[in-house]
Amino acid sequence: MEIKSAQFLKGAIGGEGLPIENFPQIAFVGRSNVGKSSVINTLVGMKDLAISSSTPGRTLQLNFFLINENLYFVDLPGYGYSKQSLKFAEKMRKMIMWYLEQNENRPQKVVLIIDGNVGPTKFDLEMIELLQENAYDVIVVANKMDKIKKSELDRKKKEITQKLDTENIIYFSSKTKKGKDELLEKIL
Ligand SMILES: Nc1nc2c(ncn2[C@@H]2O[C@H](COP(=O)(O)OP(=O)(O)O)[C@@H](O)[C@H]2O)c(=O)[nH]1
Ligand SMILES: [Mg+2]
């Protein structure tokens, strides 16, 4: 299956403003700045469908994108960003938790995006644990692989698989589009 159409539908804050139609949802989660919006843009082949984190507002809500008129990509707010105030970070965390744990219309799959160059952080590991506790079908994407020197690649990949305790990782780059087809195949 391929993506034939994609549009920004709406932003929701908690349960307020959720889309009316109950299509399956693919959620994209990850720390701020790992490239959630960029990965979505790469998948749909549009440069600025999911506006990057520099745009205020959009990053503070659950952003619903309608794909092929029958599926949602949901861009979640980032978590664990040190530049946010604690109060703000806590508010975002609560909304993410609500969406993943209490919301009646749970996402069918969760794409967890990490920064492949930085490697899995404490926040990433906590998020994986939470997703596993909630029995989610998780796809881990290590983004920004273009930033890693060729000579470092094997070592970095090994470090990522060891820390995450899985070999099931899609190595990705929004810049070079590496991993795009592999990820599309897994989510569609
Ligand atoms: N080199 C490189 N930079 C990336 C990649 N993906 C995203 N970025 C950059 O990382 C920054 C954050 O991206 P964004 O998509 O806004 O992250 P978000 O906060 O997780 O939605 C932007 O400056 C992007 O251009 C990638 O694969 N490679
Ligand atoms: Mg973003």
Side-chain angles (χ1 to χ4, degrees), residues 36-37 51-53 59 75:
K36 286 182 301 301
S37 302
I51 296 173
S52 82
S53 56
T59 51
D75 190 5

Side-chain angles (χ1 to χ4, degrees), residues 152-166:
E152 290 285 302
L153 207 55
D154 283 347
R155 192 185 61 77
K156 282 264 186 176
K157 282 185 178 175
K158 201 170 162 199
E159 188 189 313
I160 294 171
T161 52
Q162 277 174 350
K163 280 194 181 158
L164 295 181
D165 200 21
T166 174

Side-chain angles (χ1 to χ4, degrees), residues 29-42 50-55 59 75-78 113 115 142-147 172-177:
V29 301
R31 291 181 301 109
S32 296
N33 227 38
V34 294
K36 286 182 301 301
S37 302
S38 303
V39 169
I40 292 177
N41 288 338
T42 301
I51 296 173
S52 82
S53 56
S54 54
T55 309
T59 51
D75 190 5
L76 267 64
I113 300 168
D115 184 326
N143 189 35
K144 306 199 186 185
M145 293 305 288
D146 60 280
K147 283 181 134 184
F172 200 94
S173 165
S174 310
K175 212 168 168 181
T176 66
K177 302 189 171 36

Side-chain angles (χ1 to χ4, degrees), residues 54-115:
S54 54
T55 309
R58 279 230 189 151
T59 51
L60 316 182
Q61 47 190 19
L62 309 163
N63 289 306
F64 283 80
F65 299 91
L66 181 61
I67 308 296
N68 293 349
E69 309 285 339
N70 60 13
L71 173 77
Y72 296 123
F73 281 1
V74 188
D75 190 5
L76 267 64
Y79 56 85
Y81 190 40
S82 56
K83 278 188 195 153
Q84 293 166 349
S85 75
L86 262 184
K87 209 175 146 193
F88 178 82
E90 187 51 29
K91 221 170 134 182
M92 289 305 110
R93 207 185 67 87
K94 278 208 177 119
M95 190 151 73
I96 296 166
M97 296 305 150
W98 170 83
Y99 176 74
L100 293 172
E101 296 197 300
Q102 281 138 45
N103 165 32
E104 275 177 29
N105 300 317
R106 285 165 53 117
Q108 267 60 28
K109 286 179 188 172
V110 177
V111 179
L112 175 74
I113 300 168
I114 68 166
D115 184 326

